Amino acid sequence: MRFIGKAIFLTLALGIVSACAQGARPTALVAEVTDATLLPEGSPLAASVELGTVSGGEETNPAWKSKVSTEAFETALNQSLAVTALLAPQGGPLKVDAELVDLDQPFGGVSMTVTSTARYTVTSSAGEAVFDETIVTPHTTEFSEAILGAERLRLANEGSVKKNISRFIELLIEQSEADPAKFS
């Protein structure tokens, strides 16, 4: 009986240790449409933003830690602009460049908090910066959400970057409401 208990424990421990890290899923990074990300009627931002340069992500090493790739960040930002009706169909008067500056991750833990830092710069067709903000957003994933540490870290990454993109859209809308002429 004691041998069986040890064997089960070792099997579980090896399963947890050998779990491969997976990168963030682009679909899990897409901002949700909320009251704060809905465009008011007549907004100068409607279908006016094109995606420019996106950088700063890192590929995931399956033997190490989950990361957010540049491609995943770019895909999620593009889809987020689309679902919030900001994305211009073909070019637009505003261009957003985004850089995933930092993904502060824990080494391990029962609850894992990841804090993402991203800089968003929106420029007008005249080349004037109309929005330039660095946004920092934490997200915590609890043990009850994922038993495996690698999965918990991936979920924390995804939650943090998703919140970061959402906050960017919220701030962009807020600033355009405060000064619509600046974004026209």
Side-chain angles (χ1 to χ4, degrees):
M1 188 69 140
R2 194 172 191 176
F3 175 76
I4 293 173
K6 285 182 180 181
I8 291 172
F9 174 77
L10 284 173
T11 302
L12 287 173
L14 284 174
I16 290 171
V17 169
S18 67
C20 292
Q22 295 180 343
R25 301 163 298 171
T27 54
L29 305 173
V30 177
E32 294 177 9
V33 178
T34 64
D35 289 341
T37 60
L38 281 176
L39 284 178
E41 195 166 323
S43 172
L45 295 177
S48 68
V49 180
E50 76 173 287
L51 193 57
T53 303
V54 178
S55 62
E58 284 185 61
E59 293 297 322
T60 296
N61 176 346
W64 187 232
K65 283 182 161 185
S66 175
K67 297 288 184 177
V68 177
S69 69
T70 299
E71 294 78 20
F73 184 47
E74 180 176 16
T75 299
L77 185 54
N78 191 59
Q79 290 178 4
S80 296
L81 292 171
V83 299
T84 55
L86 294 166
L87 189 65
Q90 291 182 353
L94 301 172
K95 180 177 81 171
V96 61
D97 294 319
E99 178 187 8
L100 187 56
V101 177
D102 187 38
L103 201 60
D104 184 24
Q105 302 173 305
F107 185 73
V110 176
S111 296
M112 291 196 186
T113 299
V114 170
T115 301
S116 60
T117 303
R119 181 177 181 201
Y120 302 91
T121 306
V122 178
T123 53
S124 68
S125 55
E128 176 188 344
V130 295
F131 181 95
D132 190 354
E133 298 280 340
T134 299
I135 299 170
V136 179
T137 51
H139 179 81
T140 302
T141 300
E142 301 294 337
F143 183 80
S144 61
E145 296 174 67
I147 295 172
L148 297 177
E151 183 180 355
R152 213 165 37 256
L153 183 59
R154 179 184 52 80
L155 292 173
N157 288 341
E158 291 170 350
S160 179
V161 173
K162 180 178 188 169
K163 285 179 180 179
N164 199 289
I165 293 171
S166 293
R167 187 66 186 139
F168 157 64
I169 292 169
E170 292 169 8
L171 287 173
L172 185 62
I173 291 170
E174 286 174 17
Q175 288 187 22
S176 74
E177 287 179 19
D179 189 358
K182 183 177 177 181
F183 293 85
S184 295

